[in-house]
Amino acid sequence: MRICMVTDFFYPSIGGVEEHVFNLSQILLAHGHKVIVLTHSYGDCKGIRYLTNGLKVYYLPIKPFYNQCILPTILCQIPLIRCVLLRECIEVVHGHSAFSTLAHEAMIIGNMLGLRTVFTDHSLFGFADLSAVFTNKMLQINLSNVNHCICVSHIGKENTVLRARIPKEKVSVIPNAVDTALFTPDPSKRPTDGTINIVVASRLVYRKGIDLLAGVIPRFRHTHNIHFIIVGDGPKRDLLEEVREKNNMQNRVELIGAVEHSQVRDILVRGHIFVNTSLTEAYCMAIVEAASCGLQVVSTRVGGIPEVLPSNLIILTEPEVDSVYQGVIKALNRLAKFSNMQKGHIVETNVDKLSYRNGNVENGFTTISNSKKRKKSFDLHMRRETKNNGYLANIDNVEAVLCPYKCNEIVSTLYNWENVTQRTEKVYTRVLAEPEKSLGDLLYGYLRSKVWPFLLIISMAHVILLFLEYIRPRRYMEKLKN
Amino acid sequence: MMSVESRKRWQKCLYENAEYDDNYTDPSFLKDLKTNLNVRFFTFEEAIKGITRLNNQISCITIFLVIFYMLYSELVTPSDVLVVTGLFTSVGYIFYRGQKLFEVQYLLEDSKTLLAVLVFGYLFAPLLHRLTNAISTDTIFSMTFFVLLLNLIFCDYGLSAALVSKALSLNAAIFASICLASRLSTAFHAFVLLVESSVFFVLYPIFTTLYWRWYFLLPIFLLCCHLLYNISFNIFIIYALFTGFINIVCPCIFVAQQRYKYNIHGPWDEAIVEENTDNTINDKL
């Protein structure tokens, strides 16, 4: 198959969509398919570039207009996109992200050239505010003729079906994946003096729930062995700095700032607990990466997050300060219990699951040898919390997995790019079996969205394509060899 | 593929449903969808009572423009307008202050404010009178129309909407009065018009915010009708029909359209948490 991935979000930019497109393309190439990526220019990065394993990327000479997306014109990009799609003999145009203007434009042009189109939606949208109403209507128009749609979670599918009025049988759920070989645990990097590291890795913006985090941090100001490591940057950084200073936690709240994605793992392995406070999330790659590194995950129960990890790898909380705090306490209790087990103070009946040697439980978890002062502080905090919440009596109904290597093993079986790619290939095979749509079919599809003026744009685009076919017929176009 | 009977039950998670197609849709699809959550449906009576606030603002602007026209056409003297306005404002002030009327603290504070407004207004009246003198009359009138429209749009009608901006609304009204002041014959005329604008667009809204009842519209409406009838029968008819349309037809349409309300809510909605601002963070810490 010859596939063209189209998105406004690609390297050198860093993010979830970028990762997804790159990794999916790599495995598709490994499976013997031809894959190219179409994106806009990034500063000096323009023209054709080749990435790992010969992944060909077209950085089209179009400047981004707003928020890393190009100006939506539909008509202006036709000659460029047509040229690329025809020269590369593309069969499937695969657009990524509802925000990506280039993806939508390429899918519209692809449809008109008789190619099959697939769209992957990576985000969730509301329905009430003005921007959502506008975006949803645009999505409805653009997806009215798409052959198939992919969502990264079941909640995402529900959301897309409602937003874009797309038939539910035309929407598949294929999650993201994580490279577990890259995100491996390393318990030796964790502190050995009884310090518990709580890691947060996200953009510091409102929708990532940084206001919740700012409410949770001060509650640990008297627990001196709890440290926070916060990775990421954004407008809410000032808030966290203010909270840190007002609570005299300068030496216990580490604000690292933005880091390269390749460095995230080195920070994650320093932690015991990973906290995610997002207010909305379609999938949340961060929690999967954290679980892969062997951290206990505490996350808000929003969007698609409850679907992502099994209950033995995650503690779900409500998006409220109290609930997130209780979730962290629950994770700390698990750690305390696990630490006791390692020292031979077995507090569980099902010990047979762990290998026992010389009075120590061997499971790849570094023993936490508390200094007296820190241990006292931690124990006092635990006693106070468990008295209130009764967590130590019955920590969980599920058997929590606390061995970092076991966590990594579980995640690697749940989410891997090989599996994601195979499932995506099935979608490609399905859409290639569908008949080609005529101009009448396309116009009828767009008419269903009830935005009649859009038919004029499509008609104009068709006229431009006819003109381009006249001045530069596809039969005279030099086809690129694989 | 396993037979339908032997395969495991579908679960709403991303790691369990290997036996199902990726585009499989379970009967539980959209079971968490909630529509019209916390949506309030208004009765016709509520709609009519609610719209009176808008009509009150329209009537305010109308009376203000009528006063301008009367001063402009020399139908009344500025002194007469000032006396009548003073009487109404005094009555309003008595109602506004109520039992606190004779408390020295309030009397001093309010007297100081009144004195400052009147003195500075009177001192700057000649300047404001000449401020937009160079601009042609038709331009002034069209500008006035648009800024008073802005005043209507951004006015506070007791709703917490993003569109509400008291500052913008008030500034638009004051700007309109400064524009119109330049068309009057003397600086004293201009001063009186500025006093009127501060009464109608600053003091009166404070009073109505506190005491507004839907039936207050009747005397204001009748006063407008009386004044307009004396000026122009055609304008009186237009005003009466327009007010009727806003106060009766619009609520009818609004109530009828309510059945099409379809607010969608579900797990995809962004959770709402109180955003920490410079003010709230200090309270919490």
Side-chain angles (χ1 to χ4, degrees):
Chain A
M1 282 182 276
R2 292 184 291 278
I3 302 132
C4 175
M5 302 282 181
V6 196
T7 181
D8 274 308
F9 312 104
F10 197 66
Y11 292 119
S13 169
I14 300 293
V17 178
E18 291 88 336
E19 282 286 317
H20 182 99
V21 173
F22 179 78
N23 287 309
L24 183 61
S25 301
Q26 288 299 324
I27 309 291
L28 284 167
L29 283 170
H31 285 196
H33 303 293
K34 177 179 180 172
V35 185
I36 65 160
V37 178
L38 212 58
T39 187
H40 61 71
S41 62
Y42 283 87
D44 293 334
C45 190
K46 52 169 79 85
I48 298 168
R49 303 281 174 104
Y50 287 89
L51 303 186
T52 316
N53 297 326
L55 174 62
K56 190 177 189 179
V57 184
Y58 282 85
Y59 289 98
L60 300 178
I62 311 164
K63 283 204 186 312
F65 164 65
Y66 172 72
N67 221 357
Q68 231 180 280
C69 293
I70 66 164
L71 181 71
T73 59
I74 299 175
L75 306 176
C76 299
Q77 269 54 271
I78 291 175
L80 261 177
I81 294 170
R82 174 186 178 268
C83 179
V84 172
L85 296 179
L86 294 181
R87 274 169 61 84
E88 294 282 357
C89 306
I90 296 300
E91 294 173 309
V92 178
V93 178
H94 190 164
H96 290 264
S97 180
F99 295 106
S100 174
T101 313
L102 185 63
H104 291 307
E105 292 192 5
M107 288 190 299
I108 288 167
I109 295 159
N111 270 325
M112 297 180 79
L113 290 170
L115 312 178
R116 307 300 179 271
T117 51
V118 176
F119 173 72
T120 297
D121 200 351
H122 293 261
S123 47
L124 297 177
F125 268 90
F127 294 84
D129 58 295
L130 201 62
S131 70
V133 169
F134 178 73
T135 312
N136 293 347
K137 183 48 83 174
M138 288 310 297
L139 195 69
Q140 188 188 340
I141 294 165
N142 289 330
L143 297 193
S144 53
N145 280 310
V146 84
N147 292 88
H148 207 84
C149 201
I150 296 171
C151 292
V152 292
S153 63
H154 295 291
I155 286 294
K157 175 173 176 171
E158 291 182 3
N159 189 240
T160 301
V161 165
L162 285 169
R163 279 161 60 207
R165 311 269 175 93
I166 186 168
K168 50 185 182 281
E169 57 278 358
K170 279 176 77 174
V171 184
S172 290
V173 176
I174 303 172
N176 264 319
V178 66
D179 192 345
T180 47
L182 207 69
F183 287 89
T184 51
D186 186 358
S188 65
K189 293 283 191 290
R190 291 177 178 179
T192 54
D193 62 348
T195 300
I196 304 287
N197 280 342
I198 297 173
V199 181
V200 178
S202 81
R203 284 179 295 116
L204 305 183
V205 293
Y206 170 77
R207 66 193 299 272
K208 294 292 178 186
I210 303 305
D211 294 278
L212 287 178
L213 184 64
V216 172
I217 291 170
R219 299 203 177 187
F220 291 99
R221 61 181 174 273
H222 301 305
T223 318
H224 297 287
N225 67 324
I226 305 282
H227 282 222
F228 286 87
I229 301 168
I230 300 166
V231 184
D233 214 337
K236 289 280 178 184
R237 185 184 174 122
D238 295 346
L239 171 67
L240 294 177
E241 284 174 350
E242 193 177 343
V243 167
R244 178 173 69 172
E245 280 161 36
K246 286 198 169 151
N247 291 283
N248 297 318
M249 295 174 78
Q250 286 89 337
N251 58 338
R252 294 199 288 123
V253 177
E254 190 182 342
L255 288 163
I256 292 175
V259 297
E260 291 286 322
H261 189 253
S262 54
Q263 293 173 282
V264 171
R265 180 258 173 193
D266 299 332
I267 296 159
L268 285 175
V269 292
R270 287 169 57 194
H272 299 85
I273 297 166
F274 181 85
V275 176
N276 170 58
T277 54
S278 290
L279 305 182
T280 180
E281 206 77 72
Y283 176 80
C284 194
M285 200 80 136
I287 62 170
V288 184
E289 289 170 352
S292 182
C293 288
L295 280 79
Q296 279 196 78
V297 178
V298 177
S299 176
T300 45
R301 188 189 276 104
V302 293
I305 289 174
E307 303 172 22
V308 177
L309 290 172
S311 51
N312 57 356
L313 290 182
I314 190 168
I315 295 166
L316 290 169
T317 73
E318 294 310 312
E320 296 156 7
V321 172
D322 282 335
S323 185
V324 174
Y325 174 62
Q326 300 297 0
V328 175
I329 293 299
K330 196 172 183 177
L332 288 168
N333 280 322
R334 282 181 177 180
L335 277 175
K337 188 177 177 183
F338 192 66
S339 172
N340 286 336
M341 284 171 65
Q342 284 191 304
K343 290 169 188 168
H345 310 305
I346 304 301
V347 288
E348 273 193 337
T349 50
N350 48 353
V351 192
D352 53 308
K353 291 187 180 176
L354 303 160
S355 61
Y356 217 96
R357 196 180 299 160
N358 304 330
N360 286 319
V361 180
E362 290 197 342
N363 52 11
F365 193 87
T366 314
T367 306
I368 300 170
S369 54
N370 292 340
S371 65
K372 282 181 184 175
K373 186 182 174 186
R374 290 193 170 200
K375 189 178 189 316
K376 191 179 177 187
S377 144
F378 181 67
D379 288 348
L380 273 170
H381 186 82
M382 283 304 171
R383 213 170 295 142
R384 186 169 67 247
E385 289 308 323
T386 50
K387 190 178 172 186
N388 297 339
N389 309 306
Y391 275 132
L392 266 183
N394 180 20
I395 284 180
D396 240 325
N397 299 328
V398 292
E399 181 68 35
V401 178
L402 295 166
C403 166
Y405 296 105
K406 183 70 178 159
C407 289
N408 180 269
E409 192 186 313
I410 292 169
V411 173
S412 65
T413 57
L414 298 182
Y415 301 111
N416 58 77
W417 284 111
E418 190 63 46
N419 174 261
V420 168
T421 307
Q422 284 171 9
R423 290 159 76 174
T424 309
E425 283 173 326
K426 282 183 189 173
V427 171
Y428 293 155
T429 308
R430 188 184 293 134
V431 299
L432 283 169
E434 290 178 18
E436 190 180 315
K437 288 181 180 178
S438 66
L439 179 66
D441 295 332
L442 291 175
L443 289 173
Y444 180 70
Y446 290 123
L447 194 62
R448 280 203 308 263
S449 67
K450 296 187 178 69
V451 183
W452 302 318
F454 195 76
L455 299 184
L456 295 173
I457 297 168
I458 295 301
S459 306
M460 187 67 189
H462 183 67
V463 169
I464 292 168
L465 281 170
L466 288 175
F467 174 69
L468 290 169
E469 190 61 43
Y470 175 73
I471 62 163
R472 199 179 179 193
R474 65 178 79 190
R475 64 179 180 275
Y476 296 141
M477 266 188 174
E478 186 190 354
K479 304 288 185 285
L480 296 177
K481 292 181 175 68
N482 289 353
Chain B
M1 189 68 71
M2 287 184 178
S3 68
V4 177
E5 291 78 22
S6 64
R7 65 181 177 180
K8 271 200 299 186
R9 197 161 152 264
W10 185 88
Q11 285 178 286
K12 196 174 183 176
C13 61
L14 297 169
Y15 46 83
E16 282 288 1
N17 308 306
E19 299 121 48
Y20 292 83
D21 286 332
D22 287 324
N23 66 336
Y24 169 79
T25 306
D26 193 67
S28 65
F29 187 72
L30 291 178
K31 74 172 173 65
D32 294 322
L33 171 69
K34 293 176 180 71
T35 56
N36 293 343
L37 213 63
N38 308 322
V39 166
R40 189 180 158 200
F41 288 91
F42 295 89
T43 62
F44 182 62
E45 187 188 348
E46 282 176 314
I48 280 186
K49 285 178 181 177
I51 204 85
T52 54
R53 281 179 177 272
L54 171 64
N55 255 330
N56 171 53
Q57 189 65 17
I58 292 167
S59 301
C60 252
I61 290 169
T62 307
I63 294 174
F64 173 71
L65 292 174
V66 165
I67 290 168
F68 163 74
Y69 176 77
M70 286 171 147
L71 289 168
Y72 183 64
S73 308
E74 304 285 352
L75 294 173
V76 287
T77 62
S79 311
D80 293 345
V81 174
L82 208 55
V83 168
V84 174
T85 305
L87 279 169
F88 275 107
T89 308
S90 303
V91 172
Y93 179 72
I94 291 162
F95 273 103
Y96 175 70
R97 276 288 175 232
Q99 292 173 336
K100 295 174 185 172
L101 184 64
F102 299 109
E103 284 185 26
V104 182
Q105 177 199 344
Y106 289 113
L107 270 173
L108 275 170
E109 210 174 287
D110 295 336
S111 303
K112 213 189 317 180
T113 307
L114 177 69
L115 203 66
V117 169
L118 290 175
V119 168
F120 280 105
Y122 195 73
L123 286 173
F124 285 107
L127 172 71
L128 296 172
H129 180 231
R130 296 263 169 245
L131 199 61
T132 53
N133 223 21
I135 303 166
S136 65
T137 303
D138 55 350
T139 307
I140 286 288
F141 288 162
S142 59
M143 268 165 61
T144 302
F145 171 77
F146 285 112
V147 291
L148 287 175
L149 194 64
L150 273 181
N151 170 270
L152 266 182
I153 292 165
F154 292 100
C155 189
D156 183 10
Y157 300 110
L159 297 170
S160 56
L163 201 66
V164 173
S165 171
K166 286 182 185 177
L168 187 59
S169 181
L170 177 61
N171 281 326
I174 300 298
F175 178 66
S177 63
I178 290 168
C179 284
L180 293 174
S182 66
R183 302 302 105 177
L184 298 174
S185 52
T186 67
F188 185 59
H189 279 74
F191 166 68
V192 169
L193 193 71
L194 289 170
V195 168
E196 293 307 309
S197 75
S198 56
V199 167
F200 282 108
F201 302 116
V202 181
L203 301 178
Y204 182 64
I206 294 170
F207 180 80
T208 52
T209 304
L210 226 65
Y211 294 111
W212 182 254
R213 297 288 178 275
W214 67 271
Y215 44 79
F216 286 5
L217 183 68
L218 289 170
I220 299 160
F221 173 68
L222 292 171
L223 177 64
C224 276
C225 285
H226 172 69
L227 291 169
L228 288 171
Y229 183 76
N230 290 332
I231 292 167
S232 163
F233 181 73
N234 290 346
I235 294 173
F236 156 67
I237 291 293
I238 290 166
Y239 170 75
L241 289 173
F242 184 63
T243 306
F245 175 77
I246 285 175
N247 230 81
I248 293 153
V249 180
C250 288
C252 280
I253 295 167
F254 175 75
V255 171
Q257 291 291 313
Q258 280 188 113
R259 67 171 177 271
Y260 300 115
K261 276 187 182 179
Y262 187 64
N263 286 3
I264 299 171
H265 300 276
W268 49 79
D269 284 338
E270 191 174 283
I272 296 162
V273 298
E274 189 193 346
E275 193 164 1
N276 289 301
T277 60
D278 289 339
N279 302 326
T280 59
I281 193 82
N282 293 321
D283 302 336
K284 286 180 182 177
L285 298 176

